[in-house]
Amino acid sequence: MKREIVLDTETTGLSPATGDRLVEIGCVELINHIPTGSNYHVYCNPQRDMPEEAFKVHGLGNEFLADKPLFKDVADDFLDFVSDSVLVIHNAPFDMGFLQAELEWASKRRLENEVIDTVMLARKKHPGARVNLDALCRHYGIDNARRTLHGALLDSEILAEVYLELIGGRQVGLSLAAQSQSDEEAGKTIKKEAARQRPTPLPSRLSEDQIQRHKDFVLHMNDEALWAKYWS
């Protein structure tokens, strides 16, 4: 069982080094690349004013965030949810930089999880193309009409769909083949049968005259053709 956490954050700005803080975390759980419906979502009071530029991005203002918990008060719940699972993040250095800074300020352990950066996946799969989330949604036909503003949980849900497309989409046939191989490796006996042939062939839908005219056409085209040798 492979557990992955698709994760996104919203912040007051671009860098924790200049005093910016997390204000929202959204996580979506995937098991074997399938969303389970188990999510983690929290808003945090940044203990500072929200710059206008950031407010225009996510719409989270001072009044809304005033009664929300501090990050240090939800840090343990967050760490418990992500556990040691693989983290799937779009532009991972940005989000990871804020998460590690907030964890350090809260005197909590750093994240040591494996991280998959979907920006890097997208650049590898679509070199030279735009790889922001909206552009990838357009490319893969994913509905993101609800995304009028950035939101950590909504963006995580959308990113989960984009991630599945980047790694090959929901290819049921391949999944079944992988499950079959896994079952064999686990020692299960799998009975494989060849497709059965009909006991009597289906009658031809062509008349004798149509068959003869087809033979004549092929022989006229090339009397050395394989079909000619078959009919001789």
Side-chain angles (χ1 to χ4, degrees):
M1 183 179 72
K2 182 176 183 180
R3 184 175 189 260
E4 297 168 304
I5 301 298
V6 184
L7 182 152
D8 186 55
T9 66
E10 299 300 336
T11 70
T12 65
L14 299 177
S15 174
T18 58
D20 286 312
R21 304 292 300 270
L22 280 176
V23 294
E24 186 183 9
I25 306 172
C27 302
V28 171
E29 180 186 64
L30 305 180
I31 300 293
N32 295 336
H33 303 318
I34 302 298
T36 66
S38 177
N39 301 332
Y40 175 85
H41 181 230
V42 67
Y43 294 107
C44 296
N45 184 339
Q47 297 181 289
R48 56 155 292 171
D49 288 337
M50 180 66 65
E52 183 65 23
E53 295 79 5
F55 178 77
K56 290 178 180 178
V57 172
H58 49 59
L60 303 176
N62 298 323
E63 184 176 352
F64 175 80
L65 295 169
D67 62 349
K68 301 302 183 285
L70 303 182
F71 178 85
K72 67 179 182 179
D73 297 325
V74 299
D76 288 333
D77 289 341
F78 167 71
L79 290 171
D80 287 344
F81 183 84
V82 299
S83 185
D84 59 352
S85 301
V86 176
L87 303 181
V88 179
I89 307 174
H90 203 64
N91 190 22
F94 177 87
D95 299 86
M96 289 298 292
F98 272 94
L99 288 167
Q100 302 289 34
E102 292 282 1
L103 288 167
E104 182 179 347
W105 294 331
S107 300
K108 302 296 182 180
R109 67 172 177 85
R110 289 175 57 85
L111 292 168
E112 301 293 342
N113 306 52
E114 177 186 347
V115 177
I116 295 175
D117 188 346
T118 49
V119 167
M120 301 305 294
L121 284 181
R123 285 176 178 167
K124 184 176 181 179
K125 189 165 185 178
H126 307 293
R130 296 183 65 186
V131 294
N132 61 53
L133 199 53
D134 287 334
L136 290 170
C137 284
R138 287 192 296 271
H139 178 82
Y140 289 115
I142 295 170
D143 182 11
N144 66 339
R146 299 170 293 162
R147 195 177 187 247
T148 54
L149 289 172
H150 288 225
L153 184 57
L154 175 59
D155 284 1
S156 293
E157 292 171 346
I158 293 172
L159 180 58
E161 295 186 62
V162 169
Y163 171 59
L164 293 178
E165 294 295 340
L166 287 172
I167 61 175
R170 299 174 187 267
Q171 300 183 37
V172 178
L174 291 179
S175 297
L176 291 176
Q179 182 61 48
S180 174
Q181 181 179 2
S182 176
D183 289 344
E184 289 181 330
E185 291 172 352
K188 297 180 181 178
T189 301
I190 300 175
K191 185 178 180 181
K192 298 180 180 178
E193 296 182 356
R196 295 188 221 172
Q197 294 184 348
R198 291 178 59 87
T200 56
L202 289 170
S204 173
R205 295 184 179 180
L206 299 176
S207 67
E208 289 296 329
D209 180 61
Q210 289 173 319
I211 294 173
Q212 186 58 52
R213 279 190 288 157
H214 178 67
K215 290 179 180 180
D216 293 341
F217 172 76
V218 172
L219 290 171
H220 176 74
M221 185 170 56
N222 183 357
D223 59 6
E224 295 296 323
L226 177 62
W227 300 276
K229 295 178 181 179
Y230 173 79
W231 288 325
S232 60

